[in-house]
Amino acid sequence: MSPINLFITLSKISSLLPFFARPPARSPPAAAMSDPSKITAFDDFAKVHAILLAASGIPPALHRQLFHKLSSEIFDGGNFFTIEQCEGGRQRRLLLSAQFLPMESDIFLIDHAWTFRLSDALKQLKEVPGLVERMAALMCVDLDLESNSIGVREVEFGENQKNGIMKNVLKILEREMERGSHSPTWLELEELGINDDILSSLDLPSRFPNLVALNLWGNRLQNADTVVQEVTKCKNLRALWLNDNPVLENCGSFVGNAIREGISSLEIYNSCFTNNSSEWALGFCEGIIGVDNPNFSAETANALEAITSLDLSDRCINSLPKAFSPAVMPSLSHINLKGNHLDGVALDDLLNLLRGFTCLQELEVDIPGPLGNNAVWILESLPRLSSLNGINASSILDSGKHVVDSALKPRLPDFTLAQTLVDRVIGAMWLYLMTYRLADEEKIDETSVWYVMDELGSALRHSEKANFRVAPFLFMPEGKLQSAVSYSVLWPTLDVNFGDECTRDFLFGIGEEKQRSARLTAWFHTPENYFTQEFKYYKRQLQSKGLCPTNKEPPITKGILPSNGHPLYVYTDIPQVEDFLSRPEFVLTTDPKDADIIWASMQVDEEVRKAVGIKDNQYINQFPFEACLVMKHHLAETIHEAHGSPEWLQPTYNLETHLSQLIGDYITRKRVGYDNLWILKPWNMARTIDTTVTDDISAIIRLMETGPKICQKYIERPALYKGRKFDLRYIALVRSMKPVEIFLADVFWVRLANNQFTLEKSSLFEYETHFTVMNYIGRLNHMNTPEFVQEFEEEHEVKWLDIHQSIRTMIRSVFDSAATVHPEMHSPFSRAMYGVDVMLDHLFMPKILEVTYCPDCSRACKYDTKAIVGERAVMKGQEFFNIVFGCLFLDEMNHVTPL
């Protein structure tokens, strides 16, 4: 079982839930306790924690050692490990400080520095003393950026300082001129403090008419026009480095384009290949071309023929140089192409080119990337390879592993000086969070627990060949849930030597069949081009779908009341039906076998039918395969299949199957500056349980760990009622799916958020700002529908009947989609009621949110409501189910309108 998706399984867990809503307190050490109920024997520990021990994957040989450390609260990791900074202080890593640690020889406790429910995260960071400071330090977001910022460098020099810089530069120039000013020259002027005035005064083109390489990395150049003017005078320049100069901070694109256009010979710009790259650039990458040998010659060509390894990683290559060929480099056995989009090379052409290198045995390439997203397929296409991304080819083929991710660049926290520590932690936490969900034998807790391991645990970085494993563990020192304390436990899975980095697999147990390569995007910079191509292909697929026709055939259903005057017997497990179905035509029965109509809240599948003895001629308030409507991912799939991407469905992705396409959509929006706010919803949960709004791609991917979800584009500009968000609940009554016979209740209900709508990031944690279902959370403010409509029309100067008609059309299209895509839904003995939730955007166009089976009708039964359509009569709450049953089973049309 994967620790990132671990269910902590215990009996009667419900009593524990309040305990885990906050960071747990530690129990006193064993020596200080005299409580006779405390577990003191290993056998008792093993018995109480048997399920947890099995679920965590802890080797049995370590169970006794784990018990000893838990019962004595021994945190001895400091004796074995040390933490050091890396990535310029933006990350930490864990190293073994002990001389040697054999595989599965020891186990270590890791404390949880922060434990919370997601909805409480912001509040706790703001209110718990010291929490945000500790988290900021742990996540490396407490740095003072000023010391690393180009923008705050001194660029004004005193005369003495300027003279000193000029003197140093001139010494270098004089030394180079001694070699011969007309011979090919390579100038290294890195980090000398050169500013715009000094660059202009150097007059490099006159001093070195055959200047082929100029390194100005890390100087103080600021003026784009000056830099472009001076550099483009060097017409023979093949390589130029301007990295880490202030001029690139705001004018980087302009400077780069102008220089590439102005110097036709340029092959390398800021370490990246240009479209002019040739043998010279390839020679530079392998050290054949350089300061001491800046010119390409016959000797250089011979050296290229002899090289066996070529590293072209991170050169921003779109089209490979013509010189990248077996004819020029016939001896190549190792090629590194990582960090290059290779947009200009077709897949088949790239494969054929690589096949031409007959000595090629080792290849490094982004996966997913220009050769696709399947390591197995790459190896099958290039059978001579013995190694792919440093992993033995046979081990990849044997394991069926699709992706090799060891060299991906980490996604470091991104923050600014203006951000508060709270904002920085919220932005960085998805790189560090882990999760579990509590469960018993019958059900799983509705919301997950998130936690951050302490400094030692959080310093464990990811590796494809991890040497440690981590799992959450719930220790009950007294054998009771009330005494439970959460830890993580760490143990070596390989032999580890002094100085080795200690790593874990962030996606332990997650293979390519569960989209491993795409999920790594939560922590690493994966090749964006791959995902954008996947998105484009998916978008074209949707656009190719034809519109599903609306076929309004004559109705075929009739009332089912027996002609002999006998009533219809109804079995139900819904209290509201029991309380309010009062018509004499219907009589309640407690035995489903005696019922003509079964109106159930639970799913009546074949197993239930057999167990209860339900017959084929009994009417049921469910249609076969109605999951195509009432489960959110199936609803989107059904609509996509029938209509492609209609305007009334927000862009929606099933994260279990279309994560790559979602990432591509996200990247595309980010590149063009579009809004990138998304809402994640579980497939089959109501009441906005486990629903999250975020613009963080890492958060989107990590939230997959709490259960299957769809990710849907958030309606960032909804229609508002007096500044508040709202949605609408409609009731659809379906008599038949072939032909579609559907009726819409003349009354609908408005559901209002309690807070004023805003897109401020801090508001994304506020349930009462972004969600409208207040029956179970928050304050429910019921509003009479006619009053809402009148005030909405006045506020927005619109006619509600026009909006209502567009909603009717959309709802009909939804059910027509299901009937077309899933004709197996039809059953002559199915008649059902569905809740249809709708939201309006700022142009008052309807958007489908979800379709709900057996919707909560509390408000429908509680309030009398006047309809604004149809006969505009008052529908009494106590008559609601009488009206529903009358329409579905007696062929009546009171308070309903056919669609």
Side-chain angles (χ1 to χ4, degrees):
M1 184 178 294
S2 169
I4 68 168
N5 195 24
L6 181 67
F7 294 136
I8 302 289
T9 309
L10 299 166
S11 61
K12 300 179 182 177
I13 200 68
S14 58
S15 62
L16 185 64
L17 300 186
F19 175 82
F20 270 97
R22 60 186 183 277
R26 293 278 174 240
S27 302
M33 296 194 63
S34 58
D35 189 345
S37 64
K38 180 176 173 61
I39 295 176
T40 57
F42 169 73
D43 290 343
D44 293 334
F45 165 79
K47 182 178 179 181
V48 170
H49 298 85
I51 297 176
L52 291 168
L53 288 168
S56 63
I58 300 169
L62 295 177
H63 288 183
R64 193 174 293 274
Q65 196 172 358
L66 173 63
F67 169 60
H68 171 64
K69 291 191 177 183
L70 285 169
S71 58
S72 301
E73 289 197 358
I74 297 175
F75 293 86
D76 58 344
N79 299 330
F80 292 81
F81 307 100
T82 186
I83 300 170
E84 72 172 22
Q85 290 187 343
C86 57
E87 301 292 341
R90 305 293 295 278
Q91 261 191 353
R92 291 187 175 94
R93 62 182 178 181
L94 192 68
L95 304 179
L96 187 70
S97 57
Q99 200 63 34
F100 178 65
L101 192 62
M103 177 180 69
E104 298 182 0
S105 62
D106 208 339
I107 193 163
F108 304 93
L109 300 186
I110 296 175
D111 205 356
H112 291 175
W114 182 25
T115 304
F116 61 97
R117 307 283 185 175
L118 192 56
S119 58
D120 299 325
L122 186 65
K123 186 173 186 290
Q124 289 187 10
L125 286 171
K126 289 181 176 180
E127 297 180 2
V128 176
L131 177 61
V132 69
E133 290 80 8
R134 183 180 181 185
M135 290 299 103
L138 182 151
M139 298 176 186
C140 302
V141 294
D142 60 342
L143 303 175
D144 179 4
L145 296 184
E146 289 194 25
S147 60
N148 297 321
S149 174
I150 292 175
V152 296
R153 285 185 182 154
E154 262 187 52
V155 293
E156 295 295 332
F157 301 110
E159 195 63 31
N160 290 338
Q161 186 180 10
K162 185 175 179 180
N163 290 338
I165 293 172
M166 193 68 178
K167 185 177 180 180
N168 291 334
V169 174
L170 289 175
K171 281 184 179 179
I172 296 173
L173 300 188
E174 289 170 2
R175 187 168 59 246
E176 290 298 329
M177 292 179 70
E178 290 175 0
R179 300 186 181 186
S181 60
H182 290 279
S183 61
T185 305
W186 188 300
L187 280 180
E188 289 286 339
L189 303 178
E190 182 178 358
E191 294 184 343
L192 293 174
I194 297 172
N195 64 9
D196 301 325
D197 292 339
I198 293 175
L199 179 64
S200 299
S201 67
L202 294 178
D203 193 19
L204 294 176
S206 299
R207 294 175 186 265
F208 305 99
N210 200 12
L211 181 63
V212 295
L214 176 60
N215 183 1
L216 291 168
W217 195 308
N219 282 287
R220 305 192 180 194
L221 302 172
Q222 288 196 105
N223 187 280
D225 292 333
T226 300
V227 171
V228 170
Q229 178 180 327
E230 293 301 318
V231 169
T232 54
K233 291 177 183 177
C234 304
K235 296 302 181 181
N236 295 319
L237 206 59
R238 289 179 180 247
L240 171 68
W241 290 270
L242 293 174
N243 312 65
D244 205 12
N245 275 278
V247 68
L248 299 185
E249 196 168 52
N250 298 316
C251 305
S253 179
F254 164 76
V255 171
N257 291 335
I259 288 175
R260 283 188 290 265
E261 291 175 6
I263 308 176
S264 60
S265 60
L266 196 66
E267 299 191 27
I268 296 174
Y269 174 67
N270 289 351
S271 302
C272 296
F273 278 26
T274 72
N275 292 332
N276 304 319
S277 299
S278 68
E279 291 97 332
W280 191 92
L282 296 175
F284 165 75
C285 290
E286 283 312 308
I288 299 170
I289 298 289
V291 175
D292 297 325
N293 183 32
N295 193 30
F296 188 83
S297 62
E299 292 181 2
T300 309
N302 292 334
L304 280 176
E305 289 183 11
I307 64 171
T308 59
S309 178
L310 178 63
D311 185 357
L312 297 181
S313 60
D314 300 314
R315 295 294 177 183
C316 309
I317 301 173
N318 289 318
S319 297
L320 287 163
K322 291 182 179 179
F324 182 81
S325 71
V328 176
M329 298 172 290
S331 304
L332 277 184
S333 62
H334 173 267
I335 298 175
N336 187 348
L337 293 174
K338 284 195 169 188
N340 298 294
H341 289 166
L342 298 179
D343 294 345
V345 187
L347 174 59
D348 288 342
D349 292 342
L350 181 56
L351 283 173
N352 289 331
L353 181 58
L354 292 173
R355 289 177 184 132
F357 291 99
T358 56
C359 297
L360 184 62
Q361 294 183 341
E362 300 176 358
L363 176 66
E364 294 184 59
V365 64
D366 292 323
I367 306 175
L371 289 178
N373 64 350
N374 189 325
V376 172
W377 183 88
I378 294 173
L379 289 173
E380 290 173 345
S381 301
L382 299 170
R384 291 197 191 98
L385 291 181
S386 61
S387 169
L388 181 60
N389 289 358
I391 306 297
N392 185 275
S394 60
S395 67
I396 295 174
L397 293 170
D398 291 343
S399 64
K401 201 179 193 74
H402 288 187
V403 63
V404 181
D405 49 70
S406 55
L408 295 175
K409 291 185 178 179
R411 188 181 293 275
L412 301 173
D414 187 18
F415 58 93
T416 66
L417 280 173
Q419 285 184 295
T420 64
L421 281 184
V422 170
D423 291 336
R424 295 184 190 187
V425 170
I426 290 294
M429 68 182 187
W430 295 104
L431 302 174
Y432 292 89
L433 292 183
M434 297 180 74
T435 185
Y436 55 78
R437 182 174 290 188
L438 304 173
D440 62 17
E441 293 88 345
E442 297 181 357
K443 69 174 185 177
I444 297 172
D445 183 20
E446 292 177 338
T447 56
S448 297
V449 175
W450 293 91
Y451 63 95
V452 177
M453 293 187 291
D454 65 16
E455 285 74 6
L456 186 148
S458 292
L460 286 159
R461 300 200 302 171
H462 171 78
S463 173
E464 181 73 8
K465 296 181 284 187
N467 49 17
F468 281 83
R469 186 173 164 191
V470 175
F473 193 84
L474 198 67
F475 176 50
M476 294 174 285
E478 299 172 18
K480 299 176 182 178
L481 300 176
Q482 289 79 2
S483 67
V485 181
S486 63
Y487 297 91
S488 288
V489 291
L490 170 72
W491 69 95
T493 56
L494 298 172
D495 292 345
V496 189
N497 294 298
F498 172 79
D500 286 351
E501 181 174 359
C502 305
T503 58
R504 66 182 179 92
D505 185 348
F506 286 178
L507 290 171
F508 179 81
I510 303 295
E512 198 59 35
E513 74 282 356
K514 295 182 180 178
Q515 306 178 103
R516 179 184 178 92
S517 57
R519 291 174 76 159
L520 284 166
T521 305
W523 298 278
F524 296 95
H525 290 285
T526 49
E528 292 187 351
N529 183 60
Y530 165 77
F531 296 110
T532 56
Q533 291 298 327
E534 287 289 297
F535 167 61
K536 289 176 183 177
Y537 176 71
Y538 178 67
K539 190 175 181 180
R540 286 196 299 269
Q541 280 186 312
L542 292 181
Q543 290 171 344
S544 68
K545 303 290 184 182
L547 291 178
C548 172
T550 299
N551 297 318
K552 293 191 177 181
E553 302 176 30
I556 60 171
T557 59
K558 298 179 180 179
I560 64 170
L561 187 68
S563 58
N564 59 11
H566 287 167
L568 295 166
Y569 286 89
V570 178
Y571 171 80
T572 184
D573 61 353
I574 301 173
Q576 292 159 344
V577 178
E578 295 175 342
D579 294 339
F580 296 108
L581 183 60
S582 57
R583 296 183 58 157
E585 296 94 337
F586 303 98
V587 175
L588 297 177
T589 177
T590 57
D591 190 343
K593 291 193 293 292
D594 297 336
D596 300 294
I597 301 167
I598 294 175
W599 194 273
S601 61
M602 64 180 291
Q603 182 70 35
V604 181
D605 54 21
E606 286 303 315
E607 184 178 348
V608 173
R609 281 177 175 271
K610 291 178 181 179
V612 177
I614 298 174
K615 298 181 289 292
D616 290 340
N617 62 349
Q618 290 177 284
Y619 285 85
I620 299 181
N621 66 328
Q622 298 169 19
F623 279 86
F625 301 97
E626 66 180 12
C628 71
L629 286 170
V630 300
M631 294 187 73
K632 298 179 187 72
H633 62 306
H634 288 323
L635 174 63
E637 290 164 2
T638 299
I639 295 171
H640 286 157
E641 184 64 29
H643 293 280
S645 291
E647 290 186 357
W648 41 266
L649 176 69
Q650 288 289 95
T652 305
Y653 299 89
N654 180 356
L655 292 180
E656 295 298 303
T657 57
H658 287 79
L659 178 59
S660 293
Q661 292 79 2
L662 176 275
I663 295 173
D665 193 348
Y666 183 96
I667 292 169
T668 302
R669 290 175 180 275
K670 185 176 181 180
R671 285 177 178 175
V672 297
Y674 286 172
D675 171 87
N676 232 337
L677 204 57
W678 298 80
I679 183 167
L680 288 91
K681 307 175 185 179
W683 281 357
N684 199 27
M685 282 189 178
R687 313 200 314 266
T688 63
I689 293 169
D690 200 17
T691 300
T692 308
V693 179
T694 182
D695 63 355
D696 188 326
I697 190 62
S698 294
I700 291 171
I701 297 170
R702 298 298 312 282
L703 283 162
M704 294 173 64
E705 297 168 24
T706 64
K709 291 179 179 65
I710 63 165
C711 185
Q712 191 169 70
K713 185 66 193 65
Y714 190 67
I715 303 172
E716 72 277 4
R717 296 184 65 190
L720 302 176
Y721 170 77
K722 296 183 177 179
R724 289 184 290 164
K725 189 176 175 181
F726 68 90
D727 68 11
L728 309 168
R729 164 60 65 85
Y730 282 82
I731 295 295
L733 305 176
V734 183
R735 289 184 189 169
S736 168
M737 289 298 288
K738 185 180 180 183
V740 175
E741 289 183 39
I742 182 171
F743 301 82
L744 202 63
D746 290 341
V747 169
F748 65 88
W749 293 265
V750 60
R751 303 185 295 191
L752 289 162
N754 288 332
N755 298 340
Q756 292 288 297
F757 181 73
T758 176
L759 290 179
E760 287 291 327
K761 274 204 169 186
S762 60
S763 77
L764 301 183
F765 290 88
E766 297 172 358
Y767 182 92
E768 296 185 47
T769 298
H770 291 276
F771 299 104
T772 60
V773 180
M774 300 297 163
N775 306 53
Y776 316 95
I777 302 175
R779 310 180 313 274
L780 173 60
N781 296 315
H782 173 71
M783 186 169 191
N784 197 18
T785 302
E787 178 186 351
F788 165 81
V789 168
Q790 180 182 348
E791 294 183 3
F792 188 86
E793 287 182 329
E794 292 173 357
E795 179 181 356
H796 295 286
E797 298 180 351
V798 294
K799 292 182 179 180
W800 188 264
L801 289 181
D802 294 338
I803 296 172
H804 180 72
Q805 183 55 48
S806 62
I807 293 172
R808 283 171 49 85
T809 302
M810 179 191 72
I811 293 175
R812 173 70 196 216
S813 296
V814 169
F815 284 89
D816 282 338
S817 299
T820 301
V821 177
H822 294 282
E824 64 272 20
M825 271 192 74
H826 176 65
S827 168
F829 291 96
S830 293
R831 300 193 180 185
M833 173 178 68
Y834 299 96
V836 183
D837 295 339
V838 179
M839 188 172 286
L840 304 178
D841 67 13
H842 69 290
L843 299 175
F844 314 109
M845 299 301 296
K847 305 283 187 178
I848 186 72
L849 299 183
E850 64 177 308
V851 178
T852 305
Y853 159 75
C854 200
D856 183 351
C857 295
S858 300
R859 284 207 287 174
C861 295
K862 183 177 181 179
Y863 299 104
D864 298 344
T865 306
K866 182 180 180 180
I868 61 162
V869 296
E871 297 179 357
R872 304 199 177 194
V874 174
M875 185 170 75
K876 294 185 176 296
Q878 293 187 346
E879 293 295 316
F880 177 76
F881 275 106
N882 288 334
I883 293 166
V884 169
F885 274 68
C887 174
L888 291 176
F889 302 108
L890 302 181
D891 202 20
E892 296 178 352
M893 293 180 57
N894 299 325
H895 299 285
V896 301
T897 304
L899 289 182

